[in-house]
Each structure stands twice: as C-alpha cells, then as structure tokens.
Amino acid sequence: QLVESGGGLVQAGGSLSLSCEVSGITEGTNCIGWFRQAPGKEREGVAGIDIDGNTDYVDSVKGRFTIARENAENTVYLQMNDLRTDDTGMYYCALRRSQYCSPEPHDYPDWGQGTQVTVS
C-alpha cells in the first residue's frame, strides 16, 4: 500500500514537499517513482529512486525537484522548489520491484491514490 500526502495550493516560485508512505513491501530490491498527471494529459514520470538511493529525474524538473527515501521509515519524499504553473497536476507514487526505475507508468503495478498539486 502506498499513501501520498503533502499536496496543496502554492504560488509560482513556491515550494511543496510530498511524502509517500509505503507499507506491506516484502524484502528485496525496489524502485519508488513519482508520477504526475495534468488534466487532459497522459501520466508522466517525474522522478524515481532505487533501493540504493540512485535517482533519476525528468528533464523539466531537474535542479528544482529532489527525491529521497528513508528506508527505515518506508517513506519516499519529493521536495519541489521553484514550482511553475505547468507543475500542476495529481501526483502519484508507485512501486516497482526492480532495480531499474523505469519512467513508464505501465511498468509499476502498485500505486497510491494521489495528492493534488496546484500552482497558481
């Protein structure tokens, strides 16, 4: 089970921090990804982090977003700075039991319910 929190309304240039609490994961390698979906658009990968802490980001958020994980707490964070209006969307975290953090949503079988981020 994955549960996101931390979304909200923020002005352009502001910051938000999202959290993804993961429960019920068996031992083994995995990747946690953050995805977003804007109205009328396809879901896209934003950032991913594997069990060893290796990270990857979509080009549009590099230098502004930071993904991190606390394995002991089974929590993954997404710190979002210098937010833009085109960052608006529903943000989801998802789990993939693989070392490779694919940017493709269809590679992730387990999803949270999402948290809304609105940048005005």
Side-chain angles (χ1 to χ4, degrees), residues 26-47:
T26 59
E27 292 186 359
T29 193
N30 62 74
C31 170
I32 304 292
W34 280 100
F35 296 81
R36 66 186 178 190
Q37 189 165 19
K41 295 187 177 181
E42 293 185 353
R43 193 169 298 189
E44 68 167 346
V46 175

Side-chain angles (χ1 to χ4, degrees), residues 62-106:
K62 285 180 179 177
R64 300 188 298 121
F65 290 13
T66 302
I67 188 171
R69 66 189 292 167
E70 287 286 349
N71 290 332
E73 298 177 0
N74 290 326
T75 303
V76 175
Y77 304 94
L78 185 68
Q79 177 64 39
M80 305 185 295
N81 298 327
D82 191 23
L83 283 160
R84 306 168 180 169
T85 54
D86 58 3
D87 292 318
T88 294
M90 185 69 78
Y91 281 69
Y92 302 88
C93 62
L95 170 72
R96 183 175 194 233
R97 288 176 175 78
S98 169
Q99 183 70 38
Y100 172 57
C101 288
S102 168
E104 298 298 330
H106 61 74

Side-chain angles (χ1 to χ4, degrees), residues 8-22:
L9 173 64
V10 64
Q11 291 187 338
S15 298
L16 281 175
S17 182
L18 306 183
S19 298
C20 172
E21 186 174 344
V22 186

